[in-house]
Amino acid sequence: MKNLYSQLPAIDNLLRDPALQTLLTDAGTALTTRQLRAMQQEAREHIRLHQTLPDWHANWPQEAQRRVQQQQQSALRPVFNLTGTVLHTNLGRAQLSEHAIAAVDACLRQPVTLEYALDDATRGHRDRAVSKLLCELTGAEAACIVNNNAAAVLLMLASLAPGREVIVSRGELVEIGGAFRIPDVMRQAGCQLVEVGTTNRTHVKDYQGAIGEQTGLLMKVHTSNYHIEGFTHAVTEQELVTLGEAHQLPVITDLGSGSLIDMTAYGLPAEPMPQQLIAAGVSLVSFSGDKLLGGPQAGIIVGKQALIDQLQLHPLKRALRVDKMTLAALEATLQLYRQPETLQEALPTLRQLTRSSHAILQQAERLMPALEQTYGGEFSLAIAACSSQIGSGSLPVERLPSFAITFAPHNGHGGQLNALAQRWRHLPRPVIGRIQEGKLWLDLRCLEDEAALIRTLVP
């Protein structure tokens, strides 16, 4: 065994090895040395346990380079999203437009007027530019930006109703991804939840009967991640506003996904729009920036100036505020909404949601020959009609007609599918599909660079 230990090369000798010079140039001496020492220790442990040298012993420079490259690989890797879910929470939700990407790039390369007023050289407010655009697009008096919609809800509750009661319909006490629940946010904000109505039916009289001296807010939550059908009834925002005005109570709405356009005009399922609720008199409306809006992760609150001022002055606002990159991307995204005639092409989310099933079918037919030639020996490939999903947490029950290329093992062994899916997940640019009904499905709705997919999947 001593003889085996003596075969381990010295670190100094390895650092002088010509095969390691490229790694030293690219990764630096410190990182390369740490990696070689770790490998040396690993080799000693391997000898102690197995009385043999590790398999990679004959290729120290190559193994060191492979490990360093793996360490330097970004944790946020670009992937092909062929899952069939356009706004996929785990894959980053909305893709930014080229306008937004350029805006972020510009704000990173030089100082910007984040909190600087050019008119009088004083400190300005970082929400100002985005706030102006949001007021133009929604008809609101003012706007406030925080890091996500959960934060928006927390800030509204903590600012407007601390220590007081907030009335919400039982059917709207939703849970979204990551076990985020409305009742939990209420407690965190220091509010007392008052549930009214039933899971499927809530009436104005239910809210009316719950209003008391300790009532601070009336709240509605848009149930964008589930749907109840059958014997149902819900109170409209307009009805709640009328009730709130009679009792001098603000009405707030958590819209969740929040769309600034009429989705039905693009052949998509209807979604309530912030501007509709503002016009109905709702005091504050919150929604996400990275879902149907198609921008960066952000929580957007629009509504009455006096209430927005309260939010801006609350200590939580500083903890929840967004940085210059988010504001730059959000402003550039909102600018696109000022040109509705080009929005469908300019906004990736809308472009992918509105792709025709015929265009997707044609794409599948173009891809099939190369994929069949590469994978036809192991799998039966076919083009199959399927249904895409708008979002995993946003409108998950709504479906869009699409087409996928499916892979079914010739021998019917499911292990082959799992192995193929795993192999694709470890490609330089991973390909993410879904396994269902004994097949691996590549839903093509979100595929915009088919040449890049062929380069990735076809050796």
Side-chain angles (χ1 to χ4, degrees):
M1 188 182 298
K2 289 183 179 180
N3 185 49
L4 292 175
Y5 286 120
S6 68
Q7 294 182 46
L8 299 181
I11 299 298
D12 287 345
N13 291 339
L14 285 168
L15 291 173
R16 288 192 294 271
D17 190 323
L20 264 177
Q21 298 315 300
T22 300
L23 179 60
L24 284 166
T25 301
D26 294 343
T29 303
L31 178 57
T32 303
T33 302
R34 283 199 304 272
Q35 182 57 64
L36 292 172
R37 285 175 178 158
M39 290 170 62
Q40 195 174 63
Q41 183 58 39
E42 181 184 319
R44 290 193 185 102
E45 186 67 12
H46 191 279
I47 292 170
R48 186 183 70 81
L49 294 174
H50 305 287
Q51 290 76 54
T52 61
L53 291 165
D55 293 339
W56 45 261
H57 176 262
N59 298 295
W60 279 76
Q62 293 85 349
E63 181 65 14
Q65 182 155 345
R66 184 190 68 80
R67 294 188 183 198
V68 169
Q69 287 175 344
Q70 190 174 46
Q71 291 173 22
Q72 292 180 320
Q73 193 172 60
S74 173
L76 299 177
R77 297 173 59 188
V79 303
F80 288 97
N81 174 16
L82 306 183
T83 63
T85 300
V86 178
L87 295 169
H88 199 300
T89 299
N90 298 340
L91 299 180
R93 289 189 182 150
Q95 293 176 223
L96 292 185
S97 68
E98 291 302 319
H99 297 75
I101 293 168
V104 173
D105 181 75
C107 87
L108 292 176
R109 293 183 183 277
Q110 58 263 315
V112 294
T113 54
L114 177 64
E115 293 184 356
Y116 186 87
L118 292 172
D119 290 339
D120 53 10
T122 59
R123 181 171 182 170
H125 197 286
R126 65 173 55 199
D127 290 356
R128 70 192 185 285
V130 174
S131 178
K132 184 179 179 181
L133 271 171
L134 284 165
C135 291
E136 175 188 323
L137 293 168
T138 67
E141 296 175 7
C144 174
I145 314 299
V146 289
N147 64 316
N148 61 22
N149 190 51
V153 175
L154 177 65
L155 181 60
M156 289 191 296
L157 293 170
S159 300
L160 305 183
R164 304 191 71 186
E165 296 175 348
V166 179
I167 303 175
V168 185
S169 168
R170 234 175 224 102
E172 297 173 4
L173 297 178
V174 299
E175 175 181 316
I176 62 174
F180 173 90
R181 296 179 173 183
I182 290 295
D184 296 337
V185 181
M186 292 265 190
R187 283 191 292 272
Q188 191 64 39
C191 305
Q192 182 179 342
L193 168 65
V194 176
E195 303 175 30
V196 295
T198 62
T199 303
N200 60 320
R201 291 179 70 81
T202 303
H203 304 272
V204 173
K205 64 181 180 182
D206 296 316
Y207 289 92
Q208 176 73 62
I211 293 174
E213 292 183 1
Q214 290 302 308
T215 304
L217 285 174
L218 304 180
M219 182 176 182
K220 274 192 70 68
V221 181
H222 177 49
T223 56
S224 58
N225 64 351
Y226 79 98
H227 183 65
I228 298 177
E229 294 182 346
F231 188 57
T232 64
H233 186 272
V235 177
T236 66
E237 278 82 4
Q238 182 65 71
E239 291 174 312
L240 212 54
V241 166
T242 300
L243 181 62
E245 290 174 346
H247 294 271
Q248 296 184 314
L249 291 170
V251 175
I252 67 173
T253 297
D254 169 14
L255 264 189
S257 299
S259 174
L260 289 178
I261 55 173
D262 178 6
M263 302 280 282
T264 61
Y266 296 89
L268 297 168
E271 270 287 284
M273 299 159 61
Q275 49 267 53
Q276 294 171 332
L277 304 189
I278 293 297
V282 175
S283 307
L284 294 177
V285 180
S286 75
F287 52 99
S288 295
D290 60 341
K291 294 180 182 176
L292 294 176
L293 183 68
Q297 177 180 298
I300 300 168
I301 308 169
V302 295
K304 299 187 182 303
Q305 181 76 60
L307 298 182
I308 293 291
D309 288 345
Q310 284 185 242
L311 305 188
Q312 298 287 15
L313 293 173
H314 195 279
L316 266 179
K317 175 55 168 65
R318 183 172 181 85
L320 301 175
R321 70 182 184 179
V322 298
D323 68 356
K324 61 182 179 180
M325 292 179 286
T326 300
L327 288 169
L330 183 56
E331 181 184 17
T333 302
L334 292 171
Q335 288 282 6
L336 296 177
Y337 282 85
R338 304 176 81 184
Q339 302 176 56
E341 64 277 7
T342 59
L343 184 64
Q344 185 174 2
E345 182 57 32
L347 197 66
T349 295
L350 189 58
R351 188 169 65 235
Q352 292 172 2
L353 289 175
T354 57
R355 283 191 72 193
S356 71
S357 58
H358 179 66
I360 299 172
L361 174 59
Q362 289 181 316
Q363 185 178 55
E365 291 170 342
R366 290 193 299 269
L367 291 168
M368 271 293 282
L371 293 177
E372 200 154 34
Q373 184 175 0
T374 303
Y375 298 95
E378 295 179 85
F379 301 92
S380 296
L381 279 68
I383 297 174
C386 63
S387 295
S388 299
Q389 193 178 36
I390 293 178
S392 47
S394 313
L395 300 173
V397 298
E398 301 291 354
R399 302 290 174 173
L400 304 172
S402 186
F403 281 91
I405 296 177
T406 65
F407 296 71
H410 290 316
N411 61 11
H413 196 282
Q416 277 187 279
L417 286 180
N418 290 324
L420 181 63
Q422 184 177 39
R423 192 197 326 164
W424 285 351
R425 289 198 301 271
H426 288 87
L427 291 169
R429 182 177 174 184
V431 176
I432 314 295
R434 69 176 187 271
I435 294 178
Q436 183 180 328
E437 300 172 357
K439 300 176 183 177
L440 178 54
W441 297 66
L442 299 183
D443 186 324
L444 303 178
R445 172 164 291 279
C446 295
L447 179 62
E448 296 192 317
D449 190 347
E450 58 188 78
L453 179 67
I454 288 297
R455 289 194 301 270
T456 299
L457 290 183
V458 178

